Amino acid sequence: MKVNRIRNIVAVATACFGAWIVNQQYSQADTSTSDVAFMVDQDVKLLKTITTDYSKATAAKKRVVERNGSRGITSTGLVMAYYANSAIDGKDAANDAKMATLRDLGLKLAKAGKDKDFKGTDEILKAIAAGPKADPAAKKEKIDLTAAIKGMDLSVDDTMHHYFKDRSYGTNVEDMIKEQGKKATVKAQEAAAIAHRVKSLAVYSKVVMNAENAGAKKMWLDYTKEMDEAADKLLQASKGKPADLTKAFVAVDVACTKCHNEFK
């Protein structure tokens, strides 16, 4: 009797937590085509650095470049898939087709990184640099990226590597958030790009968790939701006054730090 009762309690708790996860809403901020172009330029440069360094690495350094580079490719591909997906708005069919194609190429990059396929990464980069030319098979509407990545066996490191220092094949986002929280000096488009990159992490963190039990998972999702909301405010502040932008960067840093302190 007691065993059955305990099982019933666990089943109900699990079901409630599962429903709570489903109901967790993260805003999908539309990304302008100019912001996409700005971020693509940054990301392509980073990815080209990775593949070039890998091809030139000595035998002694090849392993380190392969490890950090592959994670850099995966993480950057995920971010690219996010901002391309968020740029699909149903108003411009031709642009939606291009953004859908870019999104799918971003997902291919993520897989190439997981497979440590540097040659394949180079081929994907060529397609991105070419426009990219719209793929007729691409689904020309926003997709659920959390569903799209479920079979990739991603780790927290895979999703977060993009935000690390450039020497580790990241984009320095983490350091920039802290620095801009002291006094915002970046241009509006750079601030908006950082906001979109942070929002992408919030989305993928719904799937990739460094938490084992229901209580820890709820805390993890609460923190990522707070981070997402802070990124929304940063996006809004990027169009306003420098003082507001500084406060917005502080709020993002606080949200990120809370999670880092709890889940190291």
Side-chain angles (χ1 to χ4, degrees), residues 4 46 49 72-73 93-94 105 134 141 158 173 193 196 209 215 242:
N4 288 337
L46 168 61
T49 298
I73 293 166
L105 288 170
E141 58 187 56
D158 289 327
V173 168
H196 285 301
M209 295 187 191

Side-chain angles (χ1 to χ4, degrees), residues 114 131 139 162 249:
K114 285 297 292 181
K139 189 173 182 180
H162 182 80
F249 272 112

